[in-house]
Amino acid sequence: MSSHPPIPTRVVLLSGPSGSGKSSFAARSGLPVLCLDDFYKEADDPTLPLVPGTSDIDWDSPDSWDTETALAAIVELCEKGRTTVPVYDISTSSRVGEEALDIERTPLFIAEGIFAADIVTRCGELGVLADALCLRGRPSTTFRRRLLRDLKEGRKSVPFLLRRGWRLMRAERTIVARQVALGAHACGKEEALGRVAAAAAGRCVKARSTAL
């Protein structure tokens, strides 16, 4: 009897505005999860962007994120089933360690974060993409969820969180539109669960390419 070749591991990229429920959705899926927020740059990085007209670091800009290291971790998980990821403390904007992530030979995992859509094309070109999703909802609901979470976790100062919250609420539809333009499919949680289930069953959405 001939043996079947191993099923290649693929990634579902899960994006969406901050506070849209990506982390809770990823946990609900039951799949291994790579948290892309752990790949933020540190506060002393001179390449960090600022919010125009302010002295606030723009943590919602892709330039605040270490794209290449995050992409390398995704590829390593797909090829080897394990990788080493940084442990990031958002309250101090610093990496405080690292830890191993081992998904063994699980054929599908989720990589979630607000910049996930920025690597859709790259993951498609590398042949590791199963699907790319953008969670969306009501901006007012996202605002409340984000603020309560950030206050509870003490992520930043209250004035900073309020300024950021209002700015993101006003920009939420633009944020979703940008992520869709990058190749993510905008949907609610129930549709997203259906697409993840389809990918897990081997009915993976066709990998994106630079033609998108």
Side-chain angles (χ1 to χ4, degrees), residues 10 53 70 85 98 102 133 149 170 176 188 194-196 202 211:
R10 297 289 183 266
V85 297
E98 61 181 25
D102 191 339
L133 307 173
R149 177 202 66 193
R170 292 193 299 270
V176 170
R195 289 177 69 106
V196 169

Side-chain angles (χ1 to χ4, degrees), residues 125-144:
E125 291 171 343
L126 292 166
V128 299
L129 182 67
D131 202 356
L133 307 173
C134 171
L135 289 185
R136 65 178 177 187
R138 294 179 180 273
S140 58
T141 301
T142 305
F143 171 82
R144 290 195 302 272

Side-chain angles (χ1 to χ4, degrees), residues 10-209:
R10 297 289 183 266
V11 62
V12 173
L13 295 174
L14 181 63
S15 61
S18 175
S20 58
K22 296 181 294 298
S23 297
S24 60
F25 174 89
R28 181 183 173 189
S29 74
L31 293 171
V33 178
L34 174 66
C35 179
L36 297 177
D37 284 354
D38 284 326
F39 295 91
Y40 268 116
K41 296 176 182 177
E42 297 189 88
D44 60 355
D45 191 313
T47 66
L48 282 171
L50 298 179
V51 177
T54 77
S55 60
D56 290 341
I57 294 174
D58 188 356
W59 297 109
D60 299 289
S61 166
D63 292 334
S64 68
W65 191 55
D66 189 348
T67 305
E68 296 305 320
T69 303
L71 187 64
I74 288 173
V75 171
E76 189 168 30
L77 282 174
C78 290
E79 292 180 346
K80 300 180 180 179
R82 61 187 181 279
T83 192
T84 300
V85 297
V87 177
Y88 194 88
D89 184 350
I90 292 179
S91 65
T92 61
S93 304
S94 62
R95 295 181 181 182
V96 295
E98 61 181 25
E99 62 184 11
L101 176 59
D102 191 339
I103 65 171
E104 298 179 345
R105 296 310 303 169
T106 305
L108 194 71
F109 68 97
I110 290 177
E112 63 90 5
I114 63 173
F115 304 124
D118 287 81
I119 54 175
V120 170
T121 296
R122 297 280 297 280
C123 286
E125 291 171 343
L126 292 166
V128 299
L129 182 67
D131 202 356
L133 307 173
C134 171
L135 289 185
R136 65 178 177 187
R138 294 179 180 273
S140 58
T141 301
T142 305
F143 171 82
R144 290 195 302 272
R145 184 188 293 121
R146 176 175 55 242
L147 184 60
L148 289 174
R149 177 202 66 193
D150 292 351
L151 289 173
K152 179 180 179 180
E153 297 179 5
R155 290 190 168 194
K156 300 293 179 186
S157 69
V158 174
F160 178 92
L161 293 177
L162 289 172
R163 290 194 302 271
R164 177 176 182 255
W166 283 115
R167 185 175 70 252
L168 291 181
M169 186 173 70
R170 292 193 299 270
E172 181 155 329
R173 288 183 174 85
T174 301
I175 292 169
V176 170
R178 176 182 179 274
Q179 294 180 358
V180 169
L182 289 169
H185 174 73
C187 58
K189 293 181 180 179
E190 293 308 313
E191 182 182 353
L193 278 174
R195 289 177 69 106
V196 169
R203 301 188 300 275
C204 295
V205 175
K206 185 177 180 181
R208 274 80 175 167
S209 70

